[in-house]
Amino acid sequence: MPAVAQVWPKVTEFLDGAELERFESRALVALRALDAARALSPDGPDGSGEPDGSAEPAGQTAKAIDEAAREVAAVFEAHAPLGALLAAEFDELAARQERFGPAAAPPHWVLWQRSLLVPVMYATDRQATESAVSGEVSYGATRGELAYGEALVGIPDDHHVGAVEKPRLWRLRLRKDPATVVTLGATEESSPEKFTRRVRAQLDECDVRQALVFVHGYNVKFPDAAIRAAQIAYDLNFTGVPMLYSWPSKGVPLGYVADRDAADRSVPYFQEFLRRVLGETGVDEVHVVAHSMGNRVLTQALADFDSTSLPDGSGRLGQVIFAAPDVDAEVFRHRLPRILRQARGCTLYASSKDRALAASKGLADFARAGQAGSGIVVAPGLDTIDATELDTGLMSHSYVGDHRSVLSDVYGLLRQGLPPSRRFGLAPVAHPAGTYWAFQPQ
């Protein structure tokens, strides 16, 4: 690896004789093991994406790379000066490394230590509180009036697609570093006018004049919502402006009924936010991803939204993604025709393994729009994607933000404009109401 190559010529400054021979012997064995493990990676030994012809499962490959990298680290750390040199060299390389997908990050996404600070422009009807000591603004579960602002989220160099804190296994870890954790940094509330100017300025620096709005679900606190909005934008290599709409969820498992009512209350505030973004920022297109109960906000808002009342030159709604919607399936079907008229495209992700929605159905006694199976929602103009066959975790509810295959599918939709028929891993399924698409078993 490049860091080792930079430090290797300096080894003789600290070691000689038998000690040098022992070091070189152990280091070469460890480096050969690391090279062999990386050759088995699906990304190839050089990260080029070309494998070396191995059928070894990805999880075992990653574990082998991690173990081999740790052994290399141990060899150098056994000699304190060399360990410190290697750590410094690695940090320098990491600081120069491009951290953001195939396309370049917008220039206002600032590099900081070993992370990328992603500005998330937000609107919320949570009540703001200001620290008497630091003056920092935070948002809790109390209902408030519509407020705007900007939150900075640090995405670490070792970020895994679909993860929030887990470092990449292949990256050599020499010491603990706070930059390995996704964190919410400064949160600054602003006036609506300043928010508009800030978004316009960011769009002027982006290669696309687009925004991606994330609307969170039930049992979500503001910091977690901001982090998820940034993580999704980062993982999608989205080069427009990431945004968040955060409604006053209680952020506790027992707050389901209160959250449901809070989501309904937030509808006019979300509509006001949407009118501002579409009509005043100079955006060309706004994509929206709503998760779980956040779809109560989104579907009610769009069903009653009048895009014809926007000023001339306003942006338009692009792709609208209903991710595991915790909305009555019949209500969803009823609202859908009015929503379809507002957007360029609509996509529904559903799963019959979703335990959270199964519990919601038990409470409401009616199927949810995010459930697959015999009652899956299929309608003309709606692309329905069944994620049942994917391994989506214990609850199988947050797969749109967590699962690499689903994120890749959303990438194909948002970044490449591909219909389901041209996206990888999807197969058509016949249905009395038309055709829907299903992920194939992995």
Side-chain angles (χ1 to χ4, degrees), residues 347 383-385 409 413 418-424 426-427 437:
T347 301
D383 290 328
T384 298
I385 313 295
D409 192 65
L413 171 63
L418 299 177
S421 60
R422 296 181 57 196
R423 303 204 297 265
F424 178 77
L426 298 179
W437 302 84

Side-chain angles (χ1 to χ4, degrees), residues 18 32 46 64 82-83 85 97 118 127 153 156 187 211 229 237-238 252 259 333 335 354 391 412-413 422:
R32 289 192 188 103
D46 59 357
L82 295 178
L85 285 173
Q97 178 179 328
V118 180
Q127 180 66 48
V153 178
T187 300
N237 194 205
F238 185 74
V252 294
D259 277 14
R333 288 187 178 94
R335 292 173 179 164
D354 193 322
D391 180 5
L413 171 63
R422 296 181 57 196

Side-chain angles (χ1 to χ4, degrees), residues 99 114-116 154-159 164-165 179-182 234:
R99 294 170 169 81
R114 291 172 55 194
S115 65
L116 190 62
I155 305 291
D157 177 49
D158 281 340
H159 171 68
V164 169
E165 297 183 357
T180 63
V181 177
V182 180
Y234 186 103

Side-chain angles (χ1 to χ4, degrees), residues 119-428:
V120 176
M121 304 304 296
Y122 69 83
T124 183
D125 57 307
R126 296 175 185 260
Q127 180 66 48
T129 57
E130 183 174 326
S131 170
V133 178
S134 65
E136 292 183 355
V137 173
S138 61
Y139 298 94
T142 305
R143 298 177 181 185
E145 298 301 311
L146 186 61
Y148 295 89
E150 179 180 22
L152 292 179
V153 178
I155 305 291
D157 177 49
D158 281 340
H159 171 68
H160 237 327
V161 171
V164 169
E165 297 183 357
K166 184 178 180 181
R168 291 174 180 153
L169 293 175
W170 54 262
R171 176 52 62 91
L172 180 61
R173 276 274 156 245
L174 297 177
R175 59 175 182 246
K176 292 182 179 180
D177 191 330
T180 63
V181 177
V182 180
T183 55
L184 175 63
T187 300
E188 180 183 357
E189 189 170 283
S190 66
S191 68
E193 295 75 21
K194 183 177 179 181
F195 171 88
T196 301
R197 291 194 300 270
R198 179 63 175 150
V199 171
R200 184 180 289 273
Q202 291 182 0
L203 287 168
D204 288 342
E205 295 182 339
C206 295
D207 66 349
V208 291
R209 298 189 69 83
Q210 297 180 355
L212 176 61
V213 177
F214 176 67
V215 186
H216 63 80
Y218 144 75
N219 186 23
V220 176
K221 297 178 181 179
F222 180 87
D224 297 323
I227 285 171
R228 179 63 93 179
Q231 173 248 312
I232 289 176
Y234 186 103
D235 287 347
L236 294 178
N237 194 205
F238 185 74
T239 54
V241 176
M243 294 187 178
L244 165 70
Y245 190 86
S246 182
W247 50 277
S249 166
K250 290 292 184 184
V252 294
L254 295 180
Y256 184 87
V257 174
D259 277 14
R260 184 185 61 197
D261 292 344
D264 293 342
R265 172 191 179 269
S266 297
V267 170
Y269 295 113
F270 179 76
Q271 290 175 322
E272 182 178 340
F273 157 72
L274 198 58
R275 281 192 291 268
R276 174 172 294 277
V277 174
L278 288 169
E280 300 183 21
T281 64
V283 70
D284 290 338
E285 198 165 42
V286 175
H287 308 296
V288 186
V289 178
H291 179 243
S292 189
M293 195 179 282
N295 284 277
R296 290 183 70 94
V297 180
L298 179 64
T299 57
Q300 290 184 62
L302 293 189
D304 296 329
F305 193 72
D306 181 12
S307 59
T308 62
S309 66
L310 295 173
D312 291 341
S314 295
R316 64 167 295 181
L317 277 174
Q319 297 295 337
V320 174
I321 297 175
F322 310 106
D326 187 2
V327 178
D328 183 294
E330 185 177 355
V331 172
F332 183 87
R333 288 187 178 94
H334 178 72
R335 292 173 179 164
L336 188 59
R338 288 172 288 167
I339 296 172
L340 290 170
R341 292 195 292 267
Q342 307 284 350
R344 180 159 62 89
C346 291
T347 301
L348 165 68
Y349 287 93
S351 172
S352 60
K353 293 180 180 177
D354 193 322
R355 296 187 178 183
L357 292 187
S360 178
K361 178 187 176 183
L363 288 172
D365 202 28
F366 292 101
R368 317 318 284 168
Q371 292 182 292
S374 60
I376 191 169
V377 176
V378 179
L382 175 69
D383 290 328
T384 298
I385 313 295
D386 185 353
T388 299
E389 292 297 333
L390 298 178
D391 180 5
T392 50
L394 178 63
M395 295 299 292
S396 296
H397 186 56
S398 300
Y399 49 84
V400 170
D402 290 345
H403 200 284
R404 179 184 291 269
S405 294
V406 183
L407 282 165
S408 295
D409 192 65
V410 177
Y411 178 94
L413 171 63
L414 294 187
R415 297 284 289 146
Q416 299 175 313
L418 299 177
S421 60
R422 296 181 57 196
R423 303 204 297 265
F424 178 77
L426 298 179

